[in-house]
Amino acid sequence: MAEPEFTATGVRIGKRLRSLTRAGQVRISDGRLELLTSYGSEIDSAPVQAVRASKPWFAAEDRALADVNGTRYLLTLGEHDPAPGEPGPPAAHRFIEAVRKAAGRRR
């Protein structure tokens, strides 16, 4: 299995007003985006070309939107990238860039 192109742990994943997990995982690997619970169970996944990632205009800097299989998820990542060796999720803008980069590379 190839090394993941993007991995974030400790991510809050929500759908509408409902929180699905407070410490989930987001992973882009082998051309697929996966949203996982803290236990590793899959919430949703799709080919990265079919995923739309954006920054909500109404939310804090640490949030990103991901449209996966017609469902909109609100991801709460970090405001800033963690210091080297420090735990914590990467910044939301890195997630958006990773989705766009992975989709562009596969086309």
Side-chain angles (χ1 to χ4, degrees):
M1 188 161 142
E3 189 70 25
E5 299 166 26
F6 178 86
T7 303
T9 57
V11 178
R12 179 177 287 223
I13 302 172
K15 184 166 73 170
R16 298 193 187 250
L17 297 175
R18 184 173 153 222
S19 178
L20 300 175
T21 183
R22 291 182 177 195
Q25 301 174 37
V26 177
R27 184 169 45 206
I28 298 174
S29 180
D30 297 328
R32 289 190 69 79
L33 171 81
E34 297 175 310
L35 302 177
L36 307 169
T37 66
S38 56
Y39 299 108
S41 300
E42 184 176 292
I43 295 170
D44 208 345
S45 71
V48 76
Q49 297 91 345
V51 174
R52 203 172 74 201
S54 61
K55 181 84 180 92
W57 61 272
F58 57 87
E61 289 293 314
D62 63 346
R63 300 206 176 149
L65 290 173
D67 289 329
V68 181
N69 295 325
T71 304
R72 179 171 287 174
Y73 295 96
L74 179 63
L75 310 176
T76 305
L77 296 112
E79 283 189 42
H80 307 286
D81 288 331
E86 294 286 320
H93 68 87
R94 275 204 37 229
F95 165 71
I96 295 167
E97 290 172 9
V99 170
R100 291 180 181 159
K101 182 178 176 184
R105 187 169 46 233
R106 304 278 183 225
R107 288 184 183 178

